[in-house]
Amino acid sequence: MFQLQILKYVRHGVRQLRSGWADGPAYITQCPIQTGQTYVYNFTITGQRGTLFWHAHISWLRATLYGPIIILPKRGVPYPFPSPHEEVPIIFGEWWKADTETIINQALQNGGAPNISDAFTINGLPGPLYNCSAKDTFKLKVKPGKTYLLRLINAALNDELFFSIANHTLTVVCADAVYVKPFKTDTVLITPGQTTSVLLKAKPHFPNATFLMSARPYATGPGAVDNTTTAAILEYHQPSSTSSPKKNIKLALLKPTLPKLNDTIFAASFSKKLRSLANAKFPANVPKKVDKRFFFTVGLGLNPCPQNQTCQGPNNTKRVASINNVSFVQPNTALLQAHFSGQSKGVYTTDFPANPLVKFNYTGTPPSNIFVNSGTKVVVLPFNTNVELVMQDTSIIGAESHPLHLHGFNFFVLGQGFGNYNSSTDPSKFNLVDPVERNTVGVPSGGWVAIRFLADNPGVWFMHCHLEVHTSWGLKMAWIVMDGKGRRQKLPPPPSDLPKC
């Protein structure tokens, strides 16, 4: 446990136990920090270790405002895997040549899809596969025979990514700052908002080659995709006994083979390999009983074009996104402030539907009316409620993978599948022994995922798709967890410097 103070941005994945005022999302836990003003985020990291990250959390500002948070084990406590020679953050980003605020504001105004990005980046650099960027390439130098811990972070705005290193195998050891049962893979799938730590074992001898470390999108939706590849270069240190190669001798540059753009089979297979350690030191405390069950449909929809306006969605409509057919409307007052002060009237309502109001073939023929409702609706949970939530993708506009992120909690991923969730037969397949524990999970394209979490953190907690375009379109909601009876089960008052709307 330790105290941390940083300025301005959300700490993605930090549990924020009883410190919801420091969570960060605009108009959910605070009003935005105004120009020239500051706000100090005070919070305590308890029981977490691994890789998380911070980023801006209003509109599309996180396109360039992000960075790693590395939580080391307590002094003297070893990793539950071989100790690495070196640890290296690898942060994936997404880059536009234009102003991202202008891009999303225009899209929200005209109802169409925003322009796709121009490049992806690794540690801020696009790499040699784009025009004129060969000099802007991250290079990782390794020593033969040594083991390296790569802390992968997907800070891209709108794209899940495949990542691979040519002629090297990676061992996954941690996901979203929770240790997992190690497994080997040639390729990692990582959604926006997720972190994955992998061990890279360097070859025992100098290989007379360099190797691309490449990432490109995994995408299943109907929209346009930036189907480009960012790359870094893995280089080996020359052994001291070997004379340095002449400058005009170029080493071979080997490229990895990445899965196809829409390889849903690989995506599902990779996700199912992730399992908690579930041992005495690192138990998987899966809620065995369920107090409240929820079934959320997640997906895209349409709304009518406003009068006297031309819209760029299908058939002159506006593109939107929703959970249980409710597209979230951002309030003008922070939800947490309204909740804590007891002044929720006119800010939010507590009637977010626990199930779809209209049932249909979610992954088949869409209903005749595909317009969505709008509102600032939340779910209220008593303190210490055991929650089971099934999230179901819909194919109303087109089946698509949605990485859903829950603030304030980790959850256990019990199971996933393709097609429509069957509440009679699918629960019997749930993994209640060693399910992976995460804060962000991909709802499979044309499928479902089931999670459980214990609502033991009082406050207001945002849940949203981490594809930023879907969040902008309304694929988001919030949970209010009430205070418990004990002193340490209550949300403290807001700090004096909390930004005001």
Side-chain angles (χ1 to χ4, degrees):
M1 180 188 296
F2 61 90
Q3 296 284 340
L4 186 64
Q5 292 187 353
I6 57 178
L7 291 176
K8 288 198 174 182
Y9 314 117
V10 68
R11 276 67 43 214
H12 178 110
V14 173
R15 282 286 324 267
Q16 296 291 5
L17 288 165
R18 298 179 62 245
S19 56
W21 305 107
D23 192 41
Y27 299 104
I28 305 299
T29 60
Q30 67 169 87
C31 299
I33 302 169
Q34 299 302 312
T35 303
Q37 302 299 307
T38 63
Y39 175 44
V40 178
Y41 293 98
N42 280 294
F43 57 96
T44 301
I45 295 177
T46 305
Q48 291 182 278
R49 84 289 294 164
T51 309
L52 297 171
F53 68 116
W54 59 266
H55 61 77
H57 214 310
I58 182 170
S59 190
W60 281 23
L61 292 185
R62 75 173 182 87
T64 53
L65 290 173
Y66 57 81
I69 296 176
I70 308 301
I71 309 168
L72 299 175
K74 291 182 179 180
R75 291 186 186 277
V77 177
Y79 292 124
F81 48 79
S83 182
H85 172 70
E86 189 178 341
E87 302 181 13
V88 184
I90 302 290
I91 310 176
F92 305 108
E94 196 165 1
W95 178 257
W96 280 258
K97 294 178 181 177
D99 173 37
T100 52
E101 292 305 285
T102 300
I103 288 171
I104 185 56
N105 289 337
Q106 287 178 345
L108 293 176
Q109 177 67 27
N110 63 37
N115 292 341
I116 61 173
S117 54
D118 296 291
F120 297 101
T121 59
I122 294 177
N123 288 352
L125 301 171
L129 303 183
Y130 295 99
N131 291 334
C132 307
S133 67
K135 293 182 180 179
D136 300 314
T137 301
F138 175 72
K139 294 182 179 180
L140 174 61
K141 293 191 175 183
V142 299
K143 295 180 179 179
K146 299 294 185 180
T147 297
Y148 295 80
L149 180 66
L150 307 185
R151 298 179 178 271
L152 311 180
I153 300 168
N154 189 348
L157 237 61
N158 293 317
D159 289 276
E160 304 180 46
L161 295 170
F162 294 122
F163 171 73
S164 184
I165 302 176
N167 287 36
H168 288 74
T169 299
L170 304 171
T171 302
V172 177
V173 293
C174 195
D176 289 356
V178 179
Y179 297 132
V180 299
K181 288 184 170 69
F183 67 92
K184 295 183 183 299
T185 183
D186 294 331
T187 302
V188 171
L189 171 65
I190 184 168
T191 79
Q194 288 183 340
T195 68
T196 305
S197 294
V198 298
L199 294 176
L200 167 66
K201 180 68 182 292
K203 296 182 181 301
H205 306 291
F206 183 75
N208 284 317
T210 56
F211 307 89
L212 281 187
M213 307 164 58
S214 301
R216 76 172 183 214
Y218 163 61
T220 57
V225 178
D226 176 6
N227 192 18
T228 61
T229 303
T230 182
I233 295 179
L234 179 70
E235 296 179 342
Y236 278 73
H237 285 282
Q238 284 274 68
S240 56
S241 59
T242 305
S243 58
S244 299
K246 296 179 180 178
K247 288 186 177 181
N248 60 352
I249 299 177
K250 286 188 91 175
L251 296 175
L253 179 60
L254 305 182
K255 298 180 180 180
T257 300
L258 290 162
K260 293 181 179 179
L261 175 73
N262 61 349
D263 195 339
T264 56
I265 302 302
F266 177 91
S269 174
F270 180 84
S271 298
K272 290 177 180 178
K273 291 176 183 176
L274 292 161
R275 301 291 181 100
S276 291
L277 287 181
N279 57 27
K281 283 188 177 180
F282 305 103
N285 296 317
V286 188
K288 294 300 192 292
K289 73 179 184 74
V290 176
D291 300 313
K292 291 200 173 185
R293 285 184 166 86
F294 297 87
F295 182 82
F296 287 179
T297 56
V298 296
L300 309 184
L302 302 172
N303 265 348
C305 189
Q307 285 189 337
N308 303 319
Q309 183 180 334
T310 300
C311 292
Q312 295 182 8
N315 300 316
N316 195 37
T317 57
K318 296 190 78 168
R319 296 177 187 270
V320 292
S322 67
I323 301 176
N324 274 357
N325 208 45
V326 177
S327 187
F328 187 86
V329 176
Q330 182 172 279
N332 296 317
T333 300
L335 298 184
L336 184 58
Q337 192 173 342
H339 162 65
F340 187 84
S341 64
Q343 298 176 341
S344 63
K345 189 174 181 180
V347 180
Y348 65 84
T349 59
T350 58
D351 56 344
F352 190 92
N355 297 280
L357 298 180
V358 177
K359 295 182 179 180
F360 60 97
N361 183 0
Y362 306 115
T363 56
T365 304
S368 56
N369 180 7
I370 59 174
F371 291 155
V372 308
N373 300 313
S374 299
T376 310
K377 299 176 184 288
V378 304
V379 171
V380 177
L381 297 171
F383 184 81
N384 264 356
T385 301
N386 286 304
V387 176
E388 181 177 288
L389 169 62
V390 176
M391 292 178 283
Q392 171 75 58
D393 181 37
T394 66
S395 57
I396 292 175
I397 303 299
E400 186 166 4
S401 175
H402 298 278
L404 265 291
H405 172 55
L406 175 61
H407 288 238
F409 302 94
N410 280 354
F411 50 75
F412 292 95
V413 183
L414 308 183
Q416 63 180 52
F418 292 113
N420 295 335
Y421 173 73
N422 187 319
S423 59
S424 298
T425 59
D426 285 327
S428 64
K429 307 167 193 170
F430 285 176
N431 175 11
L432 301 178
V433 177
D434 61 351
V436 67
E437 184 180 349
R438 310 206 67 141
N439 62 61
T440 304
V441 66
V443 180
S445 178
W448 56 270
V449 65
I451 67 173
R452 282 186 192 173
F453 66 94
L454 174 63
D456 60 351
N457 196 5
V460 178
W461 304 107
F462 201 24
M463 191 176 83
H464 60 96
C465 183
H466 227 281
L467 302 180
E468 208 63 42
V469 60
H470 293 172
T471 298
S472 300
W473 283 340
L475 208 164
K476 48 192 173 180
M477 55 83 65
W479 306 82
I480 293 181
V481 179
M482 303 300 290
D483 284 346
K485 294 180 180 179
R487 182 179 63 86
R488 298 189 63 80
Q489 297 176 344
K490 300 180 188 298
L491 178 69
S496 59
D497 61 341
L498 183 74
K500 294 178 173 59
C501 290

Coordinates of all heavy atoms in Angstrom, one line a residue, residues 156-220:
A156 N -4.4 3.0 -27.7 CA -5.1 3.5 -28.9 C -6.5 3.9 -28.7 O -7.2 3.3 -27.8 CB -5.0 2.4 -30.0
L157 N -7.0 4.8 -29.5 CA -8.4 5.3 -29.3 C -9.4 4.3 -29.7 O -10.4 4.0 -28.9 CB -8.6 6.6 -30.0 CG -9.0 7.8 -29.2 CD1 -7.9 8.1 -28.2 CD2 -9.2 9.0 -30.1
N158 N -9.3 3.7 -30.9 CA -10.4 3.0 -31.5 C -10.1 1.6 -32.0 O -11.0 1.1 -32.8 CB -11.0 3.9 -32.6 CG -11.7 5.1 -32.1 OD1 -12.4 5.1 -31.1 ND2 -11.4 6.2 -32.8
D159 N -9.0 1.0 -31.7 CA -8.6 -0.2 -32.3 C -8.0 -1.2 -31.3 O -7.1 -0.9 -30.6 CB -7.6 0.0 -33.4 CG -8.3 0.7 -34.6 OD1 -8.9 0.0 -35.5 OD2 -8.2 1.9 -34.7
E160 N -8.6 -2.4 -31.3 CA -7.9 -3.6 -30.7 C -6.7 -3.9 -31.6 O -6.8 -3.7 -32.8 CB -8.9 -4.8 -30.6 CG -10.2 -4.4 -29.9 CD -11.1 -5.6 -29.7 OE1 -10.7 -6.7 -29.4 OE2 -12.3 -5.4 -30.0
L161 N -5.7 -4.5 -31.0 CA -4.5 -4.8 -31.8 C -3.9 -6.2 -31.6 O -4.0 -6.7 -30.5 CB -3.4 -3.7 -31.4 CG -3.7 -2.3 -31.7 CD1 -2.6 -1.4 -31.0 CD2 -3.7 -2.0 -33.2
F162 N -3.4 -6.7 -32.7 CA -2.6 -7.9 -32.6 C -1.1 -7.5 -32.5 O -0.7 -6.5 -33.2 CB -2.7 -8.8 -33.9 CG -4.1 -9.4 -34.1 CD1 -4.8 -9.1 -35.2 CD2 -4.6 -10.3 -33.1 CE1 -6.1 -9.7 -35.4 CE2 -5.8 -10.9 -33.3 CZ -6.6 -10.6 -34.4
F163 N -0.3 -8.2 -31.7 CA 1.1 -7.8 -31.5 C 1.9 -9.1 -31.6 O 1.6 -10.1 -30.9 CB 1.3 -7.1 -30.2 CG 2.8 -6.9 -29.8 CD1 3.5 -5.9 -30.5 CD2 3.4 -7.6 -28.8 CE1 4.8 -5.7 -30.2 CE2 4.7 -7.4 -28.5 CZ 5.5 -6.5 -29.2
S164 N 3.0 -9.0 -32.3 CA 3.9 -10.1 -32.4 C 5.3 -9.7 -32.7 O 5.5 -8.6 -33.3 CB 3.4 -11.1 -33.6 OG 4.2 -12.2 -33.7
I165 N 6.3 -10.5 -32.3 CA 7.7 -10.2 -32.6 C 8.2 -11.4 -33.5 O 8.1 -12.5 -33.2 CB 8.5 -10.2 -31.3 CG1 8.0 -9.1 -30.4 CG2 10.0 -9.9 -31.6 CD1 8.7 -9.0 -29.0
A166 N 8.8 -11.0 -34.6 CA 9.2 -12.0 -35.6 C 10.2 -13.0 -34.9 O 11.1 -12.7 -34.2 CB 10.0 -11.3 -36.7
N167 N 9.9 -14.3 -35.2 CA 10.8 -15.4 -34.8 C 11.0 -15.5 -33.2 O 12.0 -16.0 -32.8 CB 12.1 -15.3 -35.5 CG 12.0 -15.7 -36.9 OD1 11.0 -15.4 -37.6 ND2 13.1 -16.3 -37.5
H168 N 10.1 -15.0 -32.5 CA 10.2 -15.0 -31.0 C 8.8 -15.5 -30.4 O 7.8 -15.1 -31.0 CB 10.6 -13.7 -30.4 CG 12.0 -13.3 -30.7 ND1 12.4 -12.9 -31.9 CD2 13.1 -13.3 -29.9 CE1 13.7 -12.7 -31.8 NE2 14.2 -12.9 -30.6
T169 N 8.9 -16.2 -29.3 CA 7.7 -16.6 -28.6 C 7.6 -15.8 -27.3 O 8.6 -15.5 -26.7 CB 7.7 -18.1 -28.3 OG1 7.8 -18.9 -29.5 CG2 6.5 -18.5 -27.5
L170 N 6.4 -15.4 -27.0 CA 6.1 -14.6 -25.8 C 5.4 -15.5 -24.8 O 4.6 -16.3 -25.1 CB 5.2 -13.4 -26.1 CG 5.8 -12.4 -27.2 CD1 4.8 -11.4 -27.6 CD2 7.1 -11.8 -26.8
T171 N 5.6 -15.2 -23.5 CA 5.0 -15.9 -22.4 C 4.1 -14.9 -21.6 O 4.7 -13.9 -21.0 CB 5.9 -16.6 -21.5 OG1 6.7 -17.5 -22.2 CG2 5.2 -17.3 -20.4
V172 N 2.8 -15.0 -21.7 CA 1.9 -14.1 -21.0 C 1.9 -14.4 -19.5 O 1.7 -15.6 -19.1 CB 0.5 -14.2 -21.6 CG1 -0.5 -13.3 -20.8 CG2 0.5 -13.9 -23.1
V173 N 2.1 -13.4 -18.7 CA 2.2 -13.6 -17.2 C 1.3 -12.7 -16.4 O 1.1 -12.9 -15.2 CB 3.6 -13.5 -16.7 CG1 4.5 -14.6 -17.3 CG2 4.2 -12.1 -17.0
C174 N 0.7 -11.7 -17.0 CA -0.1 -10.8 -16.3 C -1.1 -10.1 -17.2 O -0.7 -9.8 -18.4 CB 0.8 -9.7 -15.6 SG 0.1 -8.7 -14.3
A175 N -2.3 -9.8 -16.8 CA -3.3 -9.1 -17.5 C -4.0 -8.1 -16.6 O -4.5 -8.5 -15.6 CB -4.3 -10.0 -18.2
D176 N -4.0 -6.8 -17.0 CA -4.7 -5.8 -16.3 C -4.2 -5.8 -14.8 O -5.0 -5.7 -13.9 CB -6.2 -5.9 -16.3 CG -6.8 -5.6 -17.7 OD1 -6.0 -5.2 -18.6 OD2 -8.0 -5.7 -17.9
A177 N -2.9 -5.9 -14.6 CA -2.3 -5.9 -13.3 C -2.7 -7.0 -12.4 O -2.8 -6.8 -11.2 CB -2.5 -4.5 -12.6
V178 N -3.1 -8.1 -13.0 CA -3.4 -9.4 -12.2 C -2.6 -10.5 -12.8 O -2.6 -10.7 -14.0 CB -4.9 -9.7 -12.2 CG1 -5.1 -11.0 -11.4 CG2 -5.7 -8.5 -11.6
Y179 N -1.8 -11.2 -12.0 CA -1.0 -12.4 -12.5 C -1.9 -13.4 -13.1 O -3.0 -13.7 -12.6 CB -0.2 -13.0 -11.4 CG 0.9 -12.1 -10.8 CD1 1.0 -11.9 -9.4 CD2 1.7 -11.3 -11.6 CE1 2.0 -11.1 -8.9 CE2 2.7 -10.5 -11.1 CZ 2.8 -10.4 -9.7 OH 3.7 -9.5 -9.2
V180 N -1.5 -14.1 -14.2 CA -2.2 -15.2 -14.8 C -1.3 -16.4 -14.9 O -0.1 -16.3 -14.8 CB -2.7 -14.8 -16.2 CG1 -3.7 -13.6 -16.1 CG2 -1.6 -14.5 -17.1
K181 N -2.0 -17.5 -15.1 CA -1.2 -18.8 -15.4 C -0.4 -18.5 -16.7 O -1.0 -18.2 -17.7 CB -2.1 -20.0 -15.5 CG -2.8 -20.4 -14.2 CD -3.6 -21.7 -14.5 CE -4.1 -22.3 -13.2 NZ -5.1 -21.5 -12.4
P182 N 0.9 -18.7 -16.6 CA 1.7 -18.4 -17.8 C 1.4 -19.3 -19.0 O 1.1 -20.5 -18.8 CB 3.2 -18.7 -17.3 CG 3.1 -18.6 -15.9 CD 1.7 -19.1 -15.5
F183 N 1.3 -18.7 -20.2 CA 1.2 -19.5 -21.4 C 1.9 -18.8 -22.5 O 2.1 -17.6 -22.5 CB -0.3 -19.7 -21.8 CG -1.1 -18.5 -22.2 CD1 -1.1 -18.1 -23.5 CD2 -1.7 -17.7 -21.2 CE1 -1.8 -17.0 -23.9 CE2 -2.4 -16.6 -21.6 CZ -2.5 -16.2 -23.0
K184 N 2.4 -19.7 -23.5 CA 3.2 -19.2 -24.6 C 2.3 -18.9 -25.8 O 1.3 -19.5 -26.0 CB 4.3 -20.2 -25.0 CG 5.3 -20.5 -23.9 CD 6.4 -21.4 -24.3 CE 7.4 -21.7 -23.2 NZ 8.1 -20.5 -22.8
T185 N 2.7 -17.9 -26.5 CA 1.9 -17.5 -27.7 C 2.9 -16.7 -28.6 O 3.8 -16.1 -28.2 CB 0.7 -16.6 -27.3 OG1 0.0 -16.3 -28.5 CG2 1.2 -15.3 -26.7
D186 N 2.6 -16.8 -29.9 CA 3.3 -16.0 -30.9 C 2.7 -14.6 -31.1 O 3.4 -13.7 -31.5 CB 3.3 -16.7 -32.3 CG 4.1 -18.0 -32.3 OD1 5.1 -18.1 -31.5 OD2 3.8 -18.9 -33.0
T187 N 1.4 -14.5 -30.7 CA 0.7 -13.2 -30.9 C -0.1 -12.9 -29.7 O -0.8 -13.8 -29.1 CB -0.2 -13.3 -32.2 OG1 0.6 -13.6 -33.3 CG2 -0.9 -12.0 -32.4
V188 N -0.2 -11.7 -29.4 CA -1.0 -11.2 -28.3 C -2.1 -10.3 -28.9 O -1.9 -9.5 -29.8 CB -0.2 -10.3 -27.3 CG1 -1.1 -9.6 -26.3 CG2 0.8 -11.2 -26.5
L189 N -3.4 -10.5 -28.4 CA -4.5 -9.6 -28.7 C -4.7 -8.7 -27.5 O -4.8 -9.2 -26.3 CB -5.7 -10.4 -29.0 CG -7.0 -9.6 -29.2 CD1 -6.9 -8.6 -30.4 CD2 -8.2 -10.4 -29.3
I190 N -4.7 -7.4 -27.7 CA -4.9 -6.5 -26.6 C -5.9 -5.4 -27.1 O -5.7 -4.7 -28.1 CB -3.5 -5.9 -26.2 CG1 -3.7 -5.0 -25.0 CG2 -2.8 -5.3 -27.3 CD1 -2.3 -4.7 -24.3
T191 N -6.9 -5.2 -26.3 CA -7.9 -4.2 -26.6 C -7.5 -2.8 -26.0 O -6.7 -2.8 -25.1 CB -9.3 -4.5 -26.1 OG1 -9.4 -4.2 -24.7 CG2 -9.6 -6.0 -26.3
P192 N -8.1 -1.7 -26.6 CA -7.9 -0.5 -25.9 C -8.3 -0.6 -24.4 O -9.4 -1.1 -24.1 CB -8.8 0.5 -26.7 CG -8.8 -0.1 -28.0 CD -8.9 -1.6 -27.8
G193 N -7.5 -0.1 -23.5 CA -7.8 -0.1 -22.1 C -7.2 -1.3 -21.4 O -7.2 -1.4 -20.2
Q194 N -6.7 -2.3 -22.1 CA -6.1 -3.5 -21.5 C -4.6 -3.3 -21.4 O -4.0 -2.6 -22.2 CB -6.4 -4.8 -22.3 CG -7.9 -5.2 -22.2 CD -8.2 -6.5 -22.9 OE1 -7.4 -6.9 -23.8 NE2 -9.2 -7.2 -22.5
T195 N -4.0 -4.0 -20.4 CA -2.6 -4.2 -20.4 C -2.3 -5.7 -20.3 O -3.0 -6.4 -19.7 CB -2.0 -3.5 -19.1 OG1 -2.4 -4.2 -17.9 CG2 -2.4 -2.0 -19.0
T196 N -1.2 -6.1 -20.8 CA -0.7 -7.5 -20.8 C 0.8 -7.5 -20.7 O 1.5 -6.8 -21.5 CB -1.1 -8.2 -22.1 OG1 -2.5 -8.1 -22.4 CG2 -0.7 -9.7 -22.1
S197 N 1.3 -8.2 -19.7 CA 2.7 -8.3 -19.5 C 3.2 -9.6 -20.0 O 2.6 -10.7 -19.7 CB 3.1 -8.1 -18.0 OG 2.8 -6.8 -17.5
V198 N 4.3 -9.6 -20.8 CA 4.8 -10.8 -21.4 C 6.3 -10.9 -21.1 O 7.0 -9.9 -21.1 CB 4.5 -10.9 -22.9 CG1 3.0 -10.9 -23.2 CG2 5.2 -9.7 -23.6
L199 N 6.8 -12.2 -21.0 CA 8.2 -12.4 -20.9 C 8.7 -12.7 -22.3 O 8.1 -13.5 -23.1 CB 8.5 -13.6 -20.0 CG 8.2 -13.4 -18.5 CD1 8.4 -14.7 -17.8 CD2 9.0 -12.3 -17.9
L200 N 9.8 -12.1 -22.7 CA 10.5 -12.3 -24.0 C 11.9 -12.9 -23.6 O 12.7 -12.3 -23.0 CB 10.7 -11.0 -24.7 CG 11.6 -11.0 -25.9 CD1 11.1 -11.9 -27.0 CD2 11.9 -9.6 -26.4
K201 N 12.1 -14.1 -24.0 CA 13.4 -14.8 -23.8 C 14.2 -14.6 -25.1 O 13.9 -15.1 -26.2 CB 13.2 -16.3 -23.5 CG 14.5 -17.1 -23.3 CD 15.1 -16.6 -22.0 CE 16.5 -17.4 -21.8 NZ 16.3 -18.8 -21.5
A202 N 15.3 -13.8 -24.9 CA 16.1 -13.6 -26.1 C 16.9 -14.9 -26.5 O 17.1 -15.8 -25.7 CB 17.2 -12.5 -25.7
K203 N 17.2 -14.9 -27.8 CA 17.8 -16.1 -28.3 C 19.2 -16.3 -27.6 O 19.8 -15.3 -27.3 CB 18.0 -16.0 -29.8 CG 16.6 -16.0 -30.6 CD 16.8 -15.9 -32.0 CE 15.4 -15.9 -32.7 NZ 14.6 -17.1 -32.4
P204 N 19.7 -17.5 -27.5 CA 20.9 -17.7 -26.7 C 22.2 -17.2 -27.4 O 23.2 -16.9 -26.7 CB 21.0 -19.3 -26.6 CG 20.2 -19.8 -27.8 CD 19.1 -18.8 -28.0
H205 N 22.2 -17.0 -28.7 CA 23.4 -16.5 -29.4 C 23.0 -15.3 -30.3 O 21.8 -15.2 -30.8 CB 24.0 -17.6 -30.2 CG 24.4 -18.8 -29.4 ND1 25.3 -18.8 -28.4 CD2 23.8 -20.1 -29.4 CE1 25.4 -20.0 -27.8 NE2 24.5 -20.8 -28.4
F206 N 23.9 -14.5 -30.7 CA 23.7 -13.4 -31.6 C 23.1 -14.0 -32.9 O 23.7 -14.8 -33.5 CB 25.0 -12.6 -31.9 CG 24.8 -11.5 -32.8 CD1 24.2 -10.3 -32.3 CD2 25.2 -11.5 -34.1 CE1 24.0 -9.2 -33.1 CE2 25.0 -10.4 -34.9 CZ 24.4 -9.3 -34.4
P207 N 21.9 -13.5 -33.3 CA 21.2 -14.2 -34.5 C 21.5 -13.7 -35.9 O 21.0 -14.2 -36.8 CB 19.7 -13.9 -34.1 CG 19.8 -12.6 -33.5 CD 21.0 -12.5 -32.7
N208 N 22.4 -12.7 -36.0 CA 22.7 -12.1 -37.3 C 21.5 -11.6 -38.0 O 21.3 -11.8 -39.2 CB 23.5 -13.2 -38.2 CG 24.9 -13.3 -37.8 OD1 25.6 -12.3 -37.5 ND2 25.4 -14.5 -37.7
A209 N 20.5 -11.1 -37.3 CA 19.3 -10.5 -37.8 C 18.7 -9.6 -36.8 O 19.0 -9.6 -35.7 CB 18.3 -11.7 -38.2
T210 N 17.8 -8.7 -37.4 CA 17.0 -7.9 -36.5 C 15.6 -8.3 -36.8 O 15.2 -8.9 -37.8 CB 17.2 -6.4 -36.8 OG1 17.0 -6.1 -38.2 CG2 18.6 -5.9 -36.5
F211 N 14.7 -7.9 -35.8 CA 13.3 -8.4 -35.9 C 12.3 -7.3 -35.7 O 12.4 -6.5 -34.7 CB 13.2 -9.5 -34.8 CG 14.2 -10.6 -34.8 CD1 15.4 -10.4 -34.1 CD2 14.0 -11.7 -35.5 CE1 16.4 -11.4 -34.2 CE2 15.0 -12.7 -35.6 CZ 16.2 -12.5 -34.9
L212 N 11.3 -7.3 -36.5 CA 10.2 -6.3 -36.3 C 9.3 -6.8 -35.2 O 8.9 -7.9 -35.0 CB 9.3 -6.2 -37.6 CG 9.9 -5.4 -38.7 CD1 8.9 -5.2 -39.8 CD2 10.3 -4.0 -38.2
M213 N 8.9 -5.8 -34.4 CA 7.9 -6.0 -33.3 C 6.7 -5.2 -33.9 O 6.6 -4.0 -33.8 CB 8.3 -5.4 -32.0 CG 9.7 -5.9 -31.6 SD 10.4 -4.8 -30.3 CE 9.2 -4.9 -29.0
S214 N 5.7 -5.9 -34.4 CA 4.6 -5.3 -35.1 C 3.2 -5.4 -34.5 O 2.9 -6.4 -33.8 CB 4.5 -6.0 -36.5 OG 5.7 -5.9 -37.2
A215 N 2.4 -4.4 -34.7 CA 1.0 -4.4 -34.2 C 0.1 -3.8 -35.3 O 0.5 -2.8 -36.0 CB 0.9 -3.5 -33.0
R216 N -1.0 -4.5 -35.5 CA -2.0 -3.9 -36.4 C -3.4 -4.4 -35.9 O -3.5 -5.2 -35.1 CB -1.7 -4.5 -37.9 CG -2.1 -5.9 -38.1 CD -2.0 -6.2 -39.6 NE -2.4 -7.6 -39.9 CZ -1.9 -8.4 -40.8 NH1 -0.9 -7.9 -41.5 NH2 -2.4 -9.6 -41.0
P217 N -4.5 -3.8 -36.5 CA -5.8 -3.9 -35.9 C -6.4 -5.3 -36.0 O -6.1 -6.0 -36.9 CB -6.7 -2.9 -36.6 CG -5.7 -1.9 -37.2 CD -4.5 -2.7 -37.5
Y218 N -7.2 -5.6 -35.0 CA -8.3 -6.6 -35.0 C -9.6 -5.9 -35.1 O -9.9 -5.1 -34.2 CB -8.2 -7.5 -33.8 CG -9.5 -8.4 -33.6 CD1 -9.9 -9.3 -34.6 CD2 -10.2 -8.2 -32.4 CE1 -11.0 -10.0 -34.4 CE2 -11.4 -9.0 -32.2 CZ -11.8 -9.9 -33.2 OH -12.9 -10.6 -33.0
A219 N -10.3 -6.0 -36.2 CA -11.6 -5.3 -36.3 C -12.6 -6.2 -37.0 O -12.3 -6.9 -37.9 CB -11.3 -4.0 -37.2
T220 N -13.8 -6.0 -36.5 CA -14.9 -6.9 -37.0 C -16.1 -6.1 -37.4 O -17.1 -6.7 -38.0 CB -15.4 -7.9 -35.9 OG1 -15.7 -7.2 -34.7 CG2 -14.2 -8.8 -35.6

